[in-house]
Amino acid sequence: MADGDPAPNPRERRDQIRQFVASEGFVRMEQLAEAHGVSLMTIHRDLDVLQSEGWLRKVRGGATAQPSALYHGDVRHRMQAMAEAKRRLAEEAVKLVEPGSSVMIDESTTGLAVAGLLPAKGPVTVISNFLAVVNLLAGEAAVDLIGLGGAYYPAYDAFLGMRTTEAIRSLHADVLFMSTTAVTNGHCYHQSQETVAVKRALMESAGRRVLLIDHSKFSKRGLHQLAPLTSFDLVIVDADTPDSDLAPLRAAGVPLRVAAP
């Protein structure tokens, strides 16, 4: 902060911190305190707030925007991760869509990859709480688009919460395409209760539930359990998923399909 510049209010300072951590990947506490002319305790509080909102992860000595086993990463990082695997999963998933179908898509970046392929399958109706999906499909002549409102969560670029679940429950779709943060012992896990509530509502409102998971999901962890994989009509995995992860699922009766490499 330059001499003579007015000190930003906490919201402005946290927005600056968020953007800086996202661009740098990792920033030390002392660096942030010096840059903003505030105490380390203030930076600690700022990072606590930003972590609770899903923007970053506090680590020893600083903060990072890089995903970890317990932190999903913000939308920009998630879009870049496993991009090729998500493309293959999406190409397999879209084979299930017939013209005239209604399709629900969650706030996953894997679902976003499916959304990009849907105009070619039109006419279709697409329902989503993910603003990235809404922006991607807005104006597509072959798509009737329904955006689900509610409380907007910037770190997820999505609408979550009670109003979103109420909007979902007033609708019914032919198929749901969704992903998950982590798969542990045959169950889906996520980092926020708000996400779990919305995904449960989506699952209840779809005639067919399809889960798309790349192999990295098996090495991650989450705090809140969503559902067992047996709750889905089909689970599509990428070809790089090791059999050591798939064998227990097959034994449990999970309906699996491996996407073409």
Side-chain angles (χ1 to χ4, degrees), residues 102-106 111 114 118 125-129 148 167-178 201-208 210:
S102 53
V103 179
M104 281 181 167
I105 297 177
D106 70 349
V114 177
L118 289 177
T125 298
V126 178
I127 304 161
S128 184
N129 64 314
L148 298 166
I168 294 166
R169 288 182 176 129
S170 69
L171 301 167
H172 187 273
D174 295 314
V175 61
L176 163 67
F177 294 117
M178 62 175 280
L202 289 169
M203 292 174 67
E204 292 166 3
S205 297
R208 190 176 190 187
V210 181

Side-chain angles (χ1 to χ4, degrees), residues 96-110:
L96 303 172
V97 179
E98 299 290 339
S101 297
S102 53
V103 179
M104 281 181 167
I105 297 177
D106 70 349
E107 76 285 354
S108 67
T109 53
T110 308

Side-chain angles (χ1 to χ4, degrees), residues 34-181:
E34 182 178 353
H36 293 279
V38 296
S39 68
L40 283 172
M41 187 59 68
T42 296
I43 294 298
H44 271 286
R45 287 194 293 265
D46 287 343
L47 295 182
D48 284 338
V49 171
L50 291 169
Q51 179 172 259
S52 71
E53 294 174 348
W55 287 113
L56 50 75
R57 179 170 55 99
K58 282 181 73 176
V59 294
R60 182 169 183 153
T64 179
Q66 296 295 332
S68 74
L70 287 174
Y71 170 64
H72 62 80
D74 68 19
V75 168
R76 186 176 70 174
H77 284 283
R78 289 192 291 129
M79 285 183 175
Q80 295 169 353
M82 306 298 294
E84 181 62 21
K86 291 172 183 175
R87 181 186 67 80
R88 294 170 182 169
L89 291 169
E91 289 174 349
E92 191 67 36
V94 80
K95 295 176 184 177
L96 303 172
V97 179
E98 299 290 339
S101 297
S102 53
V103 179
M104 281 181 167
I105 297 177
D106 70 349
E107 76 285 354
S108 67
T109 53
T110 308
L112 180 62
V114 177
L117 302 177
L118 289 177
K121 304 290 288 189
V124 293
T125 298
V126 178
I127 304 161
S128 184
N129 64 314
F130 194 7
L131 188 56
V133 167
V134 174
N135 289 334
L136 178 66
L137 297 179
E140 288 285 349
V143 177
D144 289 327
L145 183 61
I146 299 176
L148 298 166
Y152 179 67
Y153 284 62
Y156 295 87
D157 196 25
F159 297 93
L160 303 169
M162 181 180 65
R163 288 184 176 86
T164 308
T165 59
E166 289 174 350
I168 294 166
R169 288 182 176 129
S170 69
L171 301 167
H172 187 273
D174 295 314
V175 61
L176 163 67
F177 294 117
M178 62 175 280
S179 190
T180 187
T181 296

